[in-house]
Amino acid sequence: MVEILKKQNGATIRDLAQMLDVSEMTVRRDMDTLKAKNVILDIPGAAVLNTQYTYEVEDDAYQLSMATRSHTKEKERIGKFASSLIQQDDCVIIDNGSTVEYLADNIAKDTKMTVFTCNLNILNRICNNPNISIIFGGGYYHPDTTLFESAENITLIKNIRATKVFASAAGVHDTMGVTCMNNYELEIKQTIIQSGAEKILLVDSSKFGVIKPCFVTDLDIFDRIITDTNLSEDWVQLIREKGIRLDMV
């Protein structure tokens, strides 16, 4: 987006969405982040670079909207397959992360179910489905992941018993386990995993062999892993040796 705005004086939200091949909601979310950093000016319906600010890419920063656009085809297949596992009257918990967005996008409109989430990006994708009963946890909002964090959330999650938990991860390692980027995610992730009868990990193959700063759980706790077909044979063998069901889509 910044590169486009450097080449022209400004652009509307609709034009940016078309040029970047993303939704207008994604453009608005990125614009909010750039406005908070004073990179662009606050002009309704449009984006214009702030000429007083020098923008540098933050390589270590995690932005959900950026993560959503990486390995898109793989994540779409993973999300679509995961959504097919949801049955009538299921109570599911959907974790935060980019891959689970595609799960939320693909939930069948005629499936009557209950969904718990703490994430605005997931809420936005299911809130207009009349067949979904939504339980939403609030608290302090983290715009980089769209996660709401609070002690009350943890209490709420502990009182939920879900048929399925769809979890995500930033890294999966054979000895270091499943990891994420931020400390504030940890307790919510760990609690939702404990609250589901079937624990399903949604993660594209680029995350395997990766270690991120915050340890979530051991890989063995998951009943099922859904990933793409680029997963190496070594990982396929390791996962199956652990007795975890593996779906490569």
Side-chain angles (χ1 to χ4, degrees):
M1 186 190 300
V2 172
E3 291 303 316
I4 291 172
L5 296 177
K6 283 180 179 177
K7 294 176 183 177
Q8 55 193 64
N9 291 330
T12 65
I13 292 174
R14 178 176 296 179
D15 288 342
L16 286 169
Q18 291 175 347
M19 286 185 279
L20 295 168
D21 192 24
V22 297
S23 68
E24 291 186 19
M25 184 182 71
T26 296
V27 172
R28 288 191 180 93
R29 189 165 58 204
D30 284 355
M31 284 176 59
D32 287 342
T33 300
L34 294 175
K35 286 176 185 176
K37 296 180 179 181
N38 206 29
V39 178
I40 63 175
L41 302 177
D42 191 0
I43 299 174
V48 177
L49 277 181
N50 180 1
T51 58
Q52 304 300 313
Y53 185 89
T54 301
Y55 179 75
E56 296 179 357
V57 176
E58 299 177 19
D59 291 332
D60 294 332
Y62 175 88
Q63 292 293 335
L64 180 64
S65 55
M66 294 171 64
T68 304
R69 294 196 294 272
S70 66
H71 303 282
T72 301
K73 297 300 181 183
E74 292 88 347
K75 291 176 180 179
E76 285 179 348
R77 295 197 302 270
I78 293 168
K80 187 173 183 179
F81 180 85
S83 70
S84 72
L85 302 179
I86 298 174
Q87 300 175 327
Q88 290 288 343
D89 298 318
D90 261 348
C91 175
V92 307
I93 300 176
I94 301 179
D95 194 8
N96 70 299
S98 58
T99 307
V100 290
E101 278 196 14
Y102 295 98
L103 161 65
D105 277 335
N106 284 282
I107 293 174
K109 299 300 182 185
D110 59 349
T111 302
K112 186 178 180 180
M113 60 184 297
T114 299
V115 174
F116 174 86
T117 182
C118 299
N119 277 76
L120 184 60
N121 64 319
I122 303 301
L123 180 65
N124 283 335
R125 282 159 170 73
I126 63 175
C127 62
N128 292 320
N129 188 333
N131 287 317
I132 298 179
S133 297
I134 299 171
I135 306 171
F136 185 75
Y140 179 83
Y141 179 63
H142 296 273
D144 54 340
T145 59
T146 80
L147 177 71
F148 286 84
E149 174 207 8
S150 68
E152 289 77 13
N153 256 352
I154 301 301
T155 301
L156 181 59
I157 297 167
K158 287 180 177 179
N159 289 324
I160 292 174
R161 290 296 178 264
T163 52
K164 298 178 178 73
V165 169
F166 294 98
S168 66
V172 180
H173 193 269
D174 56 341
T175 57
M176 295 291 102
V178 176
T179 52
C180 67
M181 287 293 297
N182 305 295
N183 276 316
Y184 67 76
E185 301 175 82
L186 274 178
E187 191 172 9
I188 288 177
K189 281 181 171 289
Q190 291 168 345
T191 308
I192 67 171
I193 290 170
Q194 293 298 327
S195 296
E198 184 178 7
K199 310 174 199 309
I200 305 170
L201 180 63
L202 276 56
V203 61
D204 70 81
S205 59
S206 71
K207 304 297 192 304
F208 287 86
V210 173
I211 303 171
K212 293 301 181 181
C214 304
F215 173 71
V216 179
T217 187
D218 292 318
L219 188 60
D220 308 64
I221 199 170
F222 291 100
D223 303 297
R224 190 170 196 158
I225 295 174
I226 305 174
T227 188
D228 57 78
T229 54
N230 295 319
L231 188 65
S232 71
E233 281 300 320
D234 288 343
W235 269 106
V236 171
Q237 183 177 349
L238 186 149
I239 290 168
R240 288 177 174 162
E241 285 176 353
K242 289 179 176 292
I244 302 171
R245 180 165 182 172
L246 177 63
D247 300 289
M248 295 187 293
V249 296

Short mmCIF file of all heavy atoms in Angstrom, two decimals, residues 70-109:
data_model
loop_
_atom_site.label_atom_id
_atom_site.label_comp_id
_atom_site.label_asym_id
_atom_site.label_seq_id
_atom_site.Cartn_x
_atom_site.Cartn_y
_atom_site.Cartn_z
N SER A 70 0.06 -13.95 2.99
CA SER A 70 1.16 -14.85 2.66
C SER A 70 0.66 -16.28 2.61
O SER A 70 -0.19 -16.67 3.41
CB SER A 70 2.29 -14.71 3.69
OG SER A 70 1.88 -15.17 4.95
N HIS A 71 1.16 -17.04 1.63
CA HIS A 71 0.73 -18.43 1.43
C HIS A 71 -0.79 -18.53 1.33
O HIS A 71 -1.42 -19.43 1.90
CB HIS A 71 1.25 -19.32 2.56
CG HIS A 71 2.74 -19.28 2.73
ND1 HIS A 71 3.61 -19.96 1.91
CD2 HIS A 71 3.52 -18.60 3.61
CE1 HIS A 71 4.86 -19.72 2.28
NE2 HIS A 71 4.83 -18.90 3.31
N THR A 72 -1.37 -17.60 0.57
CA THR A 72 -2.82 -17.47 0.51
C THR A 72 -3.51 -18.72 0.00
O THR A 72 -4.49 -19.19 0.59
CB THR A 72 -3.21 -16.27 -0.37
OG1 THR A 72 -2.62 -15.09 0.16
CG2 THR A 72 -4.72 -16.10 -0.43
N LYS A 73 -3.02 -19.27 -1.09
CA LYS A 73 -3.69 -20.44 -1.69
C LYS A 73 -3.68 -21.62 -0.73
O LYS A 73 -4.68 -22.34 -0.61
CB LYS A 73 -3.00 -20.81 -3.00
CG LYS A 73 -3.08 -19.74 -4.08
CD LYS A 73 -4.52 -19.43 -4.44
CE LYS A 73 -4.60 -18.39 -5.55
NZ LYS A 73 -6.01 -18.01 -5.86
N GLU A 74 -2.55 -21.82 -0.05
CA GLU A 74 -2.47 -22.93 0.90
C GLU A 74 -3.46 -22.72 2.04
O GLU A 74 -4.17 -23.65 2.46
CB GLU A 74 -1.05 -23.05 1.45
CG GLU A 74 -0.02 -23.51 0.43
CD GLU A 74 0.60 -22.36 -0.34
OE1 GLU A 74 0.05 -21.22 -0.28
OE2 GLU A 74 1.63 -22.58 -1.00
N LYS A 75 -3.51 -21.50 2.57
CA LYS A 75 -4.40 -21.21 3.69
C LYS A 75 -5.87 -21.34 3.28
O LYS A 75 -6.71 -21.77 4.09
CB LYS A 75 -4.11 -19.83 4.24
CG LYS A 75 -2.76 -19.74 4.94
CD LYS A 75 -2.44 -18.33 5.40
CE LYS A 75 -1.08 -18.27 6.09
NZ LYS A 75 -0.72 -16.92 6.53
N GLU A 76 -6.18 -20.95 2.06
CA GLU A 76 -7.56 -21.11 1.58
C GLU A 76 -7.97 -22.57 1.56
O GLU A 76 -9.08 -22.92 1.97
CB GLU A 76 -7.68 -20.51 0.17
CG GLU A 76 -7.71 -18.99 0.14
CD GLU A 76 -7.80 -18.45 -1.27
OE1 GLU A 76 -7.61 -19.24 -2.23
OE2 GLU A 76 -8.05 -17.25 -1.42
N ARG A 77 -7.08 -23.44 1.08
CA ARG A 77 -7.40 -24.87 1.03
C ARG A 77 -7.53 -25.45 2.44
O ARG A 77 -8.43 -26.25 2.72
CB ARG A 77 -6.33 -25.64 0.24
CG ARG A 77 -6.25 -25.28 -1.23
CD ARG A 77 -5.48 -26.33 -2.02
NE ARG A 77 -4.13 -26.53 -1.54
CZ ARG A 77 -3.06 -25.86 -1.96
NH1 ARG A 77 -3.21 -24.91 -2.87
NH2 ARG A 77 -1.86 -26.12 -1.48
N ILE A 78 -6.61 -25.04 3.32
CA ILE A 78 -6.66 -25.51 4.71
C ILE A 78 -7.97 -25.08 5.38
O ILE A 78 -8.65 -25.88 6.02
CB ILE A 78 -5.45 -24.99 5.50
CG1 ILE A 78 -4.16 -25.63 4.97
CG2 ILE A 78 -5.61 -25.26 7.00
CD1 ILE A 78 -2.89 -24.96 5.48
N GLY A 79 -8.31 -23.82 5.23
CA GLY A 79 -9.53 -23.30 5.84
C GLY A 79 -10.78 -23.95 5.31
O GLY A 79 -11.71 -24.28 6.06
N LYS A 80 -10.82 -24.16 3.99
CA LYS A 80 -12.00 -24.79 3.38
C LYS A 80 -12.16 -26.23 3.86
O LYS A 80 -13.27 -26.66 4.20
CB LYS A 80 -11.87 -24.76 1.86
CG LYS A 80 -13.12 -25.22 1.13
CD LYS A 80 -12.99 -25.00 -0.37
CE LYS A 80 -14.27 -25.40 -1.09
NZ LYS A 80 -14.18 -25.17 -2.55
N PHE A 81 -11.05 -26.97 3.93
CA PHE A 81 -11.12 -28.35 4.41
C PHE A 81 -11.55 -28.38 5.87
O PHE A 81 -12.40 -29.19 6.27
CB PHE A 81 -9.78 -29.05 4.24
CG PHE A 81 -9.78 -30.47 4.71
CD1 PHE A 81 -10.21 -31.49 3.87
CD2 PHE A 81 -9.37 -30.80 5.99
CE1 PHE A 81 -10.24 -32.81 4.31
CE2 PHE A 81 -9.38 -32.12 6.44
CZ PHE A 81 -9.82 -33.13 5.59
N ALA A 82 -10.97 -27.52 6.69
CA ALA A 82 -11.30 -27.49 8.12
C ALA A 82 -12.78 -27.19 8.32
O ALA A 82 -13.43 -27.79 9.20
CB ALA A 82 -10.45 -26.45 8.83
N SER A 83 -13.33 -26.29 7.52
CA SER A 83 -14.75 -25.95 7.67
C SER A 83 -15.66 -27.14 7.37
O SER A 83 -16.76 -27.24 7.92
CB SER A 83 -15.11 -24.77 6.76
OG SER A 83 -15.09 -25.16 5.39
N SER A 84 -15.18 -28.05 6.52
CA SER A 84 -15.99 -29.22 6.16
C SER A 84 -16.12 -30.21 7.33
O SER A 84 -16.97 -31.09 7.31
CB SER A 84 -15.39 -29.94 4.95
OG SER A 84 -14.19 -30.61 5.29
N LEU A 85 -15.27 -30.05 8.36
CA LEU A 85 -15.32 -30.93 9.52
C LEU A 85 -16.39 -30.51 10.52
O LEU A 85 -16.73 -31.28 11.42
CB LEU A 85 -13.96 -30.95 10.22
CG LEU A 85 -12.75 -31.37 9.38
CD1 LEU A 85 -11.47 -31.30 10.22
CD2 LEU A 85 -12.94 -32.75 8.79
N ILE A 86 -16.90 -29.29 10.37
CA ILE A 86 -17.91 -28.79 11.30
C ILE A 86 -19.26 -29.43 11.01
O ILE A 86 -19.71 -29.47 9.86
CB ILE A 86 -18.01 -27.26 11.21
CG1 ILE A 86 -16.67 -26.62 11.61
CG2 ILE A 86 -19.13 -26.74 12.11
CD1 ILE A 86 -16.63 -25.12 11.40
N GLN A 87 -19.90 -29.93 12.06
CA GLN A 87 -21.19 -30.61 11.91
C GLN A 87 -22.30 -29.79 12.57
O GLN A 87 -22.05 -28.87 13.35
CB GLN A 87 -21.11 -32.00 12.54
CG GLN A 87 -20.06 -32.89 11.91
CD GLN A 87 -19.92 -34.22 12.64
OE1 GLN A 87 -20.08 -34.29 13.85
NE2 GLN A 87 -19.60 -35.26 11.89
N GLN A 88 -23.53 -30.15 12.23
CA GLN A 88 -24.68 -29.48 12.82
C GLN A 88 -24.60 -29.54 14.34
O GLN A 88 -24.28 -30.58 14.93
CB GLN A 88 -25.98 -30.13 12.34
CG GLN A 88 -26.30 -29.89 10.88
CD GLN A 88 -26.75 -28.46 10.57
OE1 GLN A 88 -27.12 -27.70 11.47
NE2 GLN A 88 -26.71 -28.10 9.30
N ASP A 89 -24.88 -28.41 14.97
CA ASP A 89 -24.94 -28.25 16.44
C ASP A 89 -23.57 -28.36 17.12
O ASP A 89 -23.51 -28.51 18.34
CB ASP A 89 -25.91 -29.27 17.05
CG ASP A 89 -27.34 -29.08 16.56
OD1 ASP A 89 -27.77 -27.91 16.47
OD2 ASP A 89 -28.00 -30.08 16.24
N ASP A 90 -22.50 -28.30 16.35
CA ASP A 90 -21.17 -28.24 16.94
C ASP A 90 -21.00 -26.94 17.73
O ASP A 90 -21.58 -25.90 17.39
CB ASP A 90 -20.08 -28.28 15.86
CG ASP A 90 -19.48 -29.67 15.68
OD1 ASP A 90 -19.74 -30.53 16.53
OD2 ASP A 90 -18.75 -29.87 14.70
N CYS A 91 -20.22 -27.03 18.79
CA CYS A 91 -19.73 -25.83 19.49
C CYS A 91 -18.24 -25.78 19.25
O CYS A 91 -17.51 -26.69 19.68
CB CYS A 91 -20.04 -25.90 20.98
SG CYS A 91 -19.34 -24.51 21.93
N VAL A 92 -17.77 -24.77 18.54
CA VAL A 92 -16.36 -24.71 18.19
C VAL A 92 -15.72 -23.44 18.73
O VAL A 92 -16.39 -22.42 18.91
CB VAL A 92 -16.14 -24.79 16.66
CG1 VAL A 92 -16.84 -26.01 16.07
CG2 VAL A 92 -16.61 -23.52 15.96
N ILE A 93 -14.43 -23.53 18.99
CA ILE A 93 -13.63 -22.36 19.36
C ILE A 93 -12.65 -22.09 18.23
O ILE A 93 -11.95 -23.01 17.78
CB ILE A 93 -12.88 -22.57 20.68
CG1 ILE A 93 -13.85 -22.86 21.82
CG2 ILE A 93 -12.02 -21.36 21.01
CD1 ILE A 93 -13.17 -23.19 23.15
N ILE A 94 -12.59 -20.87 17.77
CA ILE A 94 -11.68 -20.49 16.70
C ILE A 94 -10.60 -19.57 17.28
O ILE A 94 -10.89 -18.51 17.82
CB ILE A 94 -12.41 -19.81 15.54
CG1 ILE A 94 -13.49 -20.74 14.97
CG2 ILE A 94 -11.42 -19.42 14.44
CD1 ILE A 94 -14.30 -20.15 13.83
N ASP A 95 -9.37 -19.99 17.15
CA ASP A 95 -8.20 -19.30 17.66
C ASP A 95 -7.94 -18.02 16.86
O ASP A 95 -8.59 -17.75 15.85
CB ASP A 95 -7.00 -20.26 17.55
CG ASP A 95 -5.78 -19.81 18.35
OD1 ASP A 95 -5.88 -18.83 19.11
OD2 ASP A 95 -4.73 -20.46 18.20
N ASN A 96 -6.96 -17.24 17.30
CA ASN A 96 -6.54 -16.09 16.50
C ASN A 96 -5.45 -16.51 15.53
O ASN A 96 -4.75 -17.50 15.73
CB ASN A 96 -6.04 -14.94 17.39
CG ASN A 96 -4.72 -15.27 18.05
OD1 ASN A 96 -4.63 -16.21 18.82
ND2 ASN A 96 -3.69 -14.49 17.76
N GLY A 97 -5.31 -15.76 14.45
CA GLY A 97 -4.31 -16.09 13.45
C GLY A 97 -4.85 -15.86 12.05
O GLY A 97 -6.05 -15.63 11.86
N SER A 98 -3.97 -15.96 11.06
CA SER A 98 -4.37 -15.68 9.68
C SER A 98 -5.04 -16.88 9.02
O SER A 98 -6.00 -16.72 8.26
CB SER A 98 -3.16 -15.24 8.86
OG SER A 98 -2.14 -16.23 8.89
N THR A 99 -4.57 -18.10 9.28
CA THR A 99 -5.12 -19.27 8.61
C THR A 99 -6.58 -19.53 9.00
O THR A 99 -7.41 -19.91 8.17
CB THR A 99 -4.27 -20.52 8.91
OG1 THR A 99 -2.91 -20.24 8.59
CG2 THR A 99 -4.73 -21.71 8.09
N VAL A 100 -6.91 -19.30 10.28
CA VAL A 100 -8.28 -19.56 10.73
C VAL A 100 -9.28 -18.58 10.15
O VAL A 100 -10.49 -18.85 10.18
CB VAL A 100 -8.36 -19.56 12.28
CG1 VAL A 100 -7.66 -20.78 12.85
CG2 VAL A 100 -7.80 -18.28 12.87
N GLU A 101 -8.82 -17.45 9.59
CA GLU A 101 -9.74 -16.55 8.88
C GLU A 101 -10.41 -17.29 7.73
O GLU A 101 -11.59 -17.10 7.46
CB GLU A 101 -9.00 -15.33 8.34
CG GLU A 101 -8.75 -14.24 9.33
CD GLU A 101 -8.38 -12.93 8.67
OE1 GLU A 101 -8.58 -12.82 7.44
OE2 GLU A 101 -7.89 -12.02 9.36
N TYR A 102 -9.63 -18.12 7.03
CA TYR A 102 -10.18 -18.84 5.89
C TYR A 102 -11.16 -19.92 6.33
O TYR A 102 -12.09 -20.26 5.58
CB TYR A 102 -9.04 -19.42 5.06
CG TYR A 102 -8.17 -18.35 4.43
CD1 TYR A 102 -6.98 -17.95 5.01
CD2 TYR A 102 -8.58 -17.72 3.26
CE1 TYR A 102 -6.20 -16.96 4.45
CE2 TYR A 102 -7.80 -16.72 2.68
CZ TYR A 102 -6.61 -16.34 3.28
OH TYR A 102 -5.85 -15.35 2.72
N LEU A 103 -10.97 -20.46 7.52
CA LEU A 103 -11.96 -21.36 8.08
C LEU A 103 -13.28 -20.61 8.28
O LEU A 103 -14.34 -21.08 7.86
CB LEU A 103 -11.46 -21.91 9.42
CG LEU A 103 -12.49 -22.51 10.38
CD1 LEU A 103 -13.14 -23.75 9.78
CD2 LEU A 103 -11.88 -22.80 11.73
N ALA A 104 -13.22 -19.47 8.94
CA ALA A 104 -14.43 -18.68 9.20
C ALA A 104 -15.13 -18.28 7.91
O ALA A 104 -16.36 -18.27 7.83
CB ALA A 104 -14.07 -17.44 10.02
N ASP A 105 -14.35 -17.97 6.87
CA ASP A 105 -14.92 -17.58 5.58
C ASP A 105 -15.70 -18.70 4.92
O ASP A 105 -16.60 -18.46 4.12
CB ASP A 105 -13.80 -17.14 4.62
CG ASP A 105 -13.39 -15.70 4.84
OD1 ASP A 105 -14.21 -14.92 5.36
OD2 ASP A 105 -12.26 -15.35 4.49
N ASN A 106 -15.34 -19.95 5.23
CA ASN A 106 -15.91 -21.09 4.51
C ASN A 106 -16.95 -21.88 5.29
O ASN A 106 -17.38 -22.94 4.84
CB ASN A 106 -14.78 -22.03 4.07
CG ASN A 106 -14.02 -21.49 2.88
OD1 ASN A 106 -14.48 -21.57 1.75
ND2 ASN A 106 -12.85 -20.92 3.14
N ILE A 107 -17.36 -21.40 6.45
CA ILE A 107 -18.40 -22.10 7.21
C ILE A 107 -19.70 -22.09 6.41
O ILE A 107 -20.14 -21.04 5.94
CB ILE A 107 -18.61 -21.44 8.59
CG1 ILE A 107 -17.36 -21.63 9.46
CG2 ILE A 107 -19.83 -22.04 9.29
CD1 ILE A 107 -17.43 -20.89 10.79
N ALA A 108 -20.30 -23.26 6.25
CA ALA A 108 -21.54 -23.37 5.48
C ALA A 108 -22.64 -22.53 6.10
O ALA A 108 -22.83 -22.54 7.33
CB ALA A 108 -21.97 -24.83 5.40
N LYS A 109 -23.37 -21.82 5.26
CA LYS A 109 -24.39 -20.90 5.75
C LYS A 109 -25.57 -21.61 6.41
O LYS A 109 -26.30 -21.02 7.20
CB LYS A 109 -24.92 -20.04 4.59
CG LYS A 109 -23.86 -19.17 3.93
CD LYS A 109 -23.24 -18.19 4.90
CE LYS A 109 -22.22 -17.29 4.21
NZ LYS A 109 -21.52 -16.40 5.17
#
